[in-house]
Amino acid sequence: MKNLIFADVKRILRKPSYWIVLGICLLISLFWTIQSNNSGNLSGFSFASSQGTAINTMNLFIGIAIYVSVYADEFTSNSMQCLIGRGISRRRLLIAKFINCVIVTFISYGIYTLFITVTGLIAGAKMNVAESSFLYSTILTNAFTVLGYATISMIILFWSKNVAYATLVDAFLLFAGDTLLSGLNAIPVINLWHIDRHVFSHALACAKVDLLLTGGTAIFTLIWHVAKICAISIILAYLLFRKKELDF
């Protein structure tokens, strides 16, 4: 399985479309920095807040690029059928795809983090500890959000074998997940019992606040929320996919 994972990650990192989307996102980040530096004196607060807004805006583009590169290409190119035909079990294949998604997600956000760090140093944005914590925790939370929603959308993909439907689900969750949460809060029972705290995006947001207020131990809460949703999604995807007939 190790060879399968490494080969797939190499395939994804060689895709021009992946790098084009990531490059566009970096340019948008640079644009936000320039916009915040109109006066020529960029404060750490302005830089952190502008980049926090930028990464929230670009999540949709980065998330879809990662999802399509990791999951959707397997069905459109029929490579998954070939792997199963060569004896790779569906369970191992699902786990390998998830590990690929984790690796590509953190490579993408690692590059983004490095870019904005260098950009901030060049622009002279001197962030204090609180501003740095806010910015980097926002990036980490967004990376976990993209990973979680991609894994949830994997259920639709492996159940329906329809790339378009699954991609639309991923795009909807990335674009309107917070709006959906606001709609749920309008339901009295959910609002009264604070059930919304267990919804993925809100759970991550609460864990991020805990991380900023209490420090390092809250990172385990973030990881727990992501691990929980990913484990449930992988199990459901496997149960739906294990007996599914594939067209060769």
PDB file of all heavy atoms in Angstrom, residues 18-34:
ATOM      1  N   TYR A  18      -3.605  21.298 -10.650  1.00  0.00           N
ATOM      2  CA  TYR A  18      -3.469  21.453  -9.199  1.00  0.00           C
ATOM      3  C   TYR A  18      -2.590  22.660  -8.875  1.00  0.00           C
ATOM      4  O   TYR A  18      -2.931  23.490  -8.022  1.00  0.00           O
ATOM      5  CB  TYR A  18      -2.891  20.170  -8.587  1.00  0.00           C
ATOM      6  CG  TYR A  18      -2.388  20.341  -7.176  1.00  0.00           C
ATOM      7  CD1 TYR A  18      -3.270  20.354  -6.107  1.00  0.00           C
ATOM      8  CD2 TYR A  18      -1.017  20.486  -6.916  1.00  0.00           C
ATOM      9  CE1 TYR A  18      -2.799  20.512  -4.794  1.00  0.00           C
ATOM     10  CE2 TYR A  18      -0.548  20.640  -5.618  1.00  0.00           C
ATOM     11  CZ  TYR A  18      -1.436  20.652  -4.573  1.00  0.00           C
ATOM     12  OH  TYR A  18      -0.971  20.809  -3.292  1.00  0.00           O
ATOM     13  N   TRP A  19      -1.454  22.779  -9.551  1.00  0.00           N
ATOM     14  CA  TRP A  19      -0.531  23.882  -9.289  1.00  0.00           C
ATOM     15  C   TRP A  19      -1.089  25.210  -9.780  1.00  0.00           C
ATOM     16  O   TRP A  19      -0.808  26.262  -9.185  1.00  0.00           O
ATOM     17  CB  TRP A  19       0.823  23.592  -9.937  1.00  0.00           C
ATOM     18  CG  TRP A  19       1.550  22.483  -9.246  1.00  0.00           C
ATOM     19  CD1 TRP A  19       1.755  21.219  -9.703  1.00  0.00           C
ATOM     20  CD2 TRP A  19       2.153  22.539  -7.944  1.00  0.00           C
ATOM     21  NE1 TRP A  19       2.443  20.475  -8.781  1.00  0.00           N
ATOM     22  CE2 TRP A  19       2.706  21.261  -7.689  1.00  0.00           C
ATOM     23  CE3 TRP A  19       2.278  23.535  -6.978  1.00  0.00           C
ATOM     24  CZ2 TRP A  19       3.374  20.961  -6.502  1.00  0.00           C
ATOM     25  CZ3 TRP A  19       2.949  23.242  -5.799  1.00  0.00           C
ATOM     26  CH2 TRP A  19       3.491  21.969  -5.573  1.00  0.00           C
ATOM     27  N   ILE A  20      -1.882  25.180 -10.845  1.00  0.00           N
ATOM     28  CA  ILE A  20      -2.493  26.423 -11.328  1.00  0.00           C
ATOM     29  C   ILE A  20      -3.463  26.977 -10.291  1.00  0.00           C
ATOM     30  O   ILE A  20      -3.445  28.178  -9.971  1.00  0.00           O
ATOM     31  CB  ILE A  20      -3.216  26.174 -12.673  1.00  0.00           C
ATOM     32  CG1 ILE A  20      -2.192  25.945 -13.787  1.00  0.00           C
ATOM     33  CG2 ILE A  20      -4.127  27.351 -13.024  1.00  0.00           C
ATOM     34  CD1 ILE A  20      -2.799  25.489 -15.100  1.00  0.00           C
ATOM     35  N   VAL A  21      -4.327  26.107  -9.742  1.00  0.00           N
ATOM     36  CA  VAL A  21      -5.280  26.546  -8.715  1.00  0.00           C
ATOM     37  C   VAL A  21      -4.550  27.052  -7.477  1.00  0.00           C
ATOM     38  O   VAL A  21      -4.876  28.107  -6.919  1.00  0.00           O
ATOM     39  CB  VAL A  21      -6.239  25.394  -8.342  1.00  0.00           C
ATOM     40  CG1 VAL A  21      -7.119  25.793  -7.157  1.00  0.00           C
ATOM     41  CG2 VAL A  21      -7.108  25.022  -9.527  1.00  0.00           C
ATOM     42  N   LEU A  22      -3.533  26.304  -7.030  1.00  0.00           N
ATOM     43  CA  LEU A  22      -2.775  26.728  -5.854  1.00  0.00           C
ATOM     44  C   LEU A  22      -2.061  28.050  -6.118  1.00  0.00           C
ATOM     45  O   LEU A  22      -2.021  28.935  -5.241  1.00  0.00           O
ATOM     46  CB  LEU A  22      -1.773  25.639  -5.470  1.00  0.00           C
ATOM     47  CG  LEU A  22      -0.991  25.865  -4.165  1.00  0.00           C
ATOM     48  CD1 LEU A  22      -1.940  26.015  -2.976  1.00  0.00           C
ATOM     49  CD2 LEU A  22      -0.009  24.728  -3.916  1.00  0.00           C
ATOM     50  N   GLY A  23      -1.506  28.216  -7.323  1.00  0.00           N
ATOM     51  CA  GLY A  23      -0.835  29.467  -7.680  1.00  0.00           C
ATOM     52  C   GLY A  23      -1.790  30.650  -7.682  1.00  0.00           C
ATOM     53  O   GLY A  23      -1.443  31.750  -7.216  1.00  0.00           O
ATOM     54  N   ILE A  24      -3.017  30.431  -8.183  1.00  0.00           N
ATOM     55  CA  ILE A  24      -4.020  31.497  -8.182  1.00  0.00           C
ATOM     56  C   ILE A  24      -4.365  31.900  -6.747  1.00  0.00           C
ATOM     57  O   ILE A  24      -4.497  33.090  -6.424  1.00  0.00           O
ATOM     58  CB  ILE A  24      -5.288  31.045  -8.940  1.00  0.00           C
ATOM     59  CG1 ILE A  24      -4.988  30.927 -10.438  1.00  0.00           C
ATOM     60  CG2 ILE A  24      -6.447  32.013  -8.706  1.00  0.00           C
ATOM     61  CD1 ILE A  24      -6.108  30.310 -11.238  1.00  0.00           C
ATOM     62  N   CYS A  25      -4.484  30.905  -5.866  1.00  0.00           N
ATOM     63  CA  CYS A  25      -4.785  31.191  -4.455  1.00  0.00           C
ATOM     64  C   CYS A  25      -3.658  31.988  -3.802  1.00  0.00           C
ATOM     65  O   CYS A  25      -3.914  32.904  -2.996  1.00  0.00           O
ATOM     66  CB  CYS A  25      -5.023  29.889  -3.702  1.00  0.00           C
ATOM     67  SG  CYS A  25      -6.539  29.032  -4.182  1.00  0.00           S
ATOM     68  N   LEU A  26      -2.423  31.671  -4.136  1.00  0.00           N
ATOM     69  CA  LEU A  26      -1.286  32.424  -3.583  1.00  0.00           C
ATOM     70  C   LEU A  26      -1.293  33.862  -4.100  1.00  0.00           C
ATOM     71  O   LEU A  26      -0.964  34.794  -3.353  1.00  0.00           O
ATOM     72  CB  LEU A  26       0.025  31.733  -3.944  1.00  0.00           C
ATOM     73  CG  LEU A  26       0.241  30.329  -3.354  1.00  0.00           C
ATOM     74  CD1 LEU A  26       1.594  29.777  -3.787  1.00  0.00           C
ATOM     75  CD2 LEU A  26       0.133  30.344  -1.836  1.00  0.00           C
ATOM     76  N   LEU A  27      -1.666  34.034  -5.359  1.00  0.00           N
ATOM     77  CA  LEU A  27      -1.755  35.391  -5.916  1.00  0.00           C
ATOM     78  C   LEU A  27      -2.865  36.192  -5.238  1.00  0.00           C
ATOM     79  O   LEU A  27      -2.707  37.397  -4.989  1.00  0.00           O
ATOM     80  CB  LEU A  27      -2.007  35.321  -7.429  1.00  0.00           C
ATOM     81  CG  LEU A  27      -0.820  34.874  -8.284  1.00  0.00           C
ATOM     82  CD1 LEU A  27      -1.247  34.734  -9.747  1.00  0.00           C
ATOM     83  CD2 LEU A  27       0.331  35.870  -8.167  1.00  0.00           C
ATOM     84  N   ILE A  28      -3.987  35.533  -4.943  1.00  0.00           N
ATOM     85  CA  ILE A  28      -5.068  36.204  -4.216  1.00  0.00           C
ATOM     86  C   ILE A  28      -4.597  36.630  -2.833  1.00  0.00           C
ATOM     87  O   ILE A  28      -4.884  37.733  -2.353  1.00  0.00           O
ATOM     88  CB  ILE A  28      -6.304  35.287  -4.114  1.00  0.00           C
ATOM     89  CG1 ILE A  28      -6.896  35.046  -5.503  1.00  0.00           C
ATOM     90  CG2 ILE A  28      -7.357  35.891  -3.185  1.00  0.00           C
ATOM     91  CD1 ILE A  28      -8.009  34.018  -5.524  1.00  0.00           C
ATOM     92  N   SER A  29      -3.834  35.741  -2.180  1.00  0.00           N
ATOM     93  CA  SER A  29      -3.272  36.078  -0.866  1.00  0.00           C
ATOM     94  C   SER A  29      -2.354  37.291  -0.954  1.00  0.00           C
ATOM     95  O   SER A  29      -2.398  38.189  -0.109  1.00  0.00           O
ATOM     96  CB  SER A  29      -2.501  34.869  -0.323  1.00  0.00           C
ATOM     97  OG  SER A  29      -1.772  35.216   0.831  1.00  0.00           O
ATOM     98  N   LEU A  30      -1.529  37.320  -1.986  1.00  0.00           N
ATOM     99  CA  LEU A  30      -0.633  38.458  -2.196  1.00  0.00           C
ATOM    100  C   LEU A  30      -1.430  39.733  -2.443  1.00  0.00           C
ATOM    101  O   LEU A  30      -1.076  40.812  -1.940  1.00  0.00           O
ATOM    102  CB  LEU A  30       0.299  38.172  -3.375  1.00  0.00           C
ATOM    103  CG  LEU A  30       1.330  39.248  -3.721  1.00  0.00           C
ATOM    104  CD1 LEU A  30       2.281  39.480  -2.551  1.00  0.00           C
ATOM    105  CD2 LEU A  30       2.106  38.855  -4.972  1.00  0.00           C
ATOM    106  N   PHE A  31      -2.514  39.639  -3.192  1.00  0.00           N
ATOM    107  CA  PHE A  31      -3.379  40.790  -3.464  1.00  0.00           C
ATOM    108  C   PHE A  31      -3.960  41.348  -2.162  1.00  0.00           C
ATOM    109  O   PHE A  31      -3.998  42.569  -1.968  1.00  0.00           O
ATOM    110  CB  PHE A  31      -4.500  40.385  -4.413  1.00  0.00           C
ATOM    111  CG  PHE A  31      -5.542  41.449  -4.628  1.00  0.00           C
ATOM    112  CD1 PHE A  31      -5.286  42.518  -5.461  1.00  0.00           C
ATOM    113  CD2 PHE A  31      -6.776  41.375  -3.978  1.00  0.00           C
ATOM    114  CE1 PHE A  31      -6.240  43.511  -5.655  1.00  0.00           C
ATOM    115  CE2 PHE A  31      -7.728  42.359  -4.166  1.00  0.00           C
ATOM    116  CZ  PHE A  31      -7.466  43.428  -4.999  1.00  0.00           C
ATOM    117  N   TRP A  32      -4.411  40.446  -1.275  1.00  0.00           N
ATOM    118  CA  TRP A  32      -4.946  40.893   0.009  1.00  0.00           C
ATOM    119  C   TRP A  32      -3.884  41.609   0.828  1.00  0.00           C
ATOM    120  O   TRP A  32      -4.167  42.593   1.521  1.00  0.00           O
ATOM    121  CB  TRP A  32      -5.498  39.706   0.796  1.00  0.00           C
ATOM    122  CG  TRP A  32      -6.886  39.303   0.403  1.00  0.00           C
ATOM    123  CD1 TRP A  32      -7.243  38.405  -0.555  1.00  0.00           C
ATOM    124  CD2 TRP A  32      -8.107  39.802   0.951  1.00  0.00           C
ATOM    125  NE1 TRP A  32      -8.606  38.305  -0.636  1.00  0.00           N
ATOM    126  CE2 TRP A  32      -9.169  39.143   0.279  1.00  0.00           C
ATOM    127  CE3 TRP A  32      -8.414  40.708   1.950  1.00  0.00           C
ATOM    128  CZ2 TRP A  32     -10.509  39.384   0.574  1.00  0.00           C
ATOM    129  CZ3 TRP A  32      -9.753  40.957   2.250  1.00  0.00           C
ATOM    130  CH2 TRP A  32     -10.779  40.298   1.566  1.00  0.00           C
ATOM    131  N   THR A  33      -2.661  41.139   0.748  1.00  0.00           N
ATOM    132  CA  THR A  33      -1.566  41.786   1.477  1.00  0.00           C
ATOM    133  C   THR A  33      -1.315  43.188   0.928  1.00  0.00           C
ATOM    134  O   THR A  33      -1.142  44.152   1.694  1.00  0.00           O
ATOM    135  CB  THR A  33      -0.274  40.953   1.363  1.00  0.00           C
ATOM    136  OG1 THR A  33      -0.508  39.645   1.891  1.00  0.00           O
ATOM    137  CG2 THR A  33       0.868  41.600   2.137  1.00  0.00           C
ATOM    138  N   ILE A  34      -1.290  43.305  -0.397  1.00  0.00           N
ATOM    139  CA  ILE A  34      -1.068  44.609  -1.029  1.00  0.00           C
ATOM    140  C   ILE A  34      -2.194  45.573  -0.673  1.00  0.00           C
ATOM    141  O   ILE A  34      -1.968  46.755  -0.392  1.00  0.00           O
ATOM    142  CB  ILE A  34      -0.940  44.444  -2.554  1.00  0.00           C
ATOM    143  CG1 ILE A  34       0.325  43.643  -2.891  1.00  0.00           C
ATOM    144  CG2 ILE A  34      -0.903  45.803  -3.246  1.00  0.00           C
ATOM    145  CD1 ILE A  34       0.438  43.250  -4.347  1.00  0.00           C
TER     146      ILE A  34
END
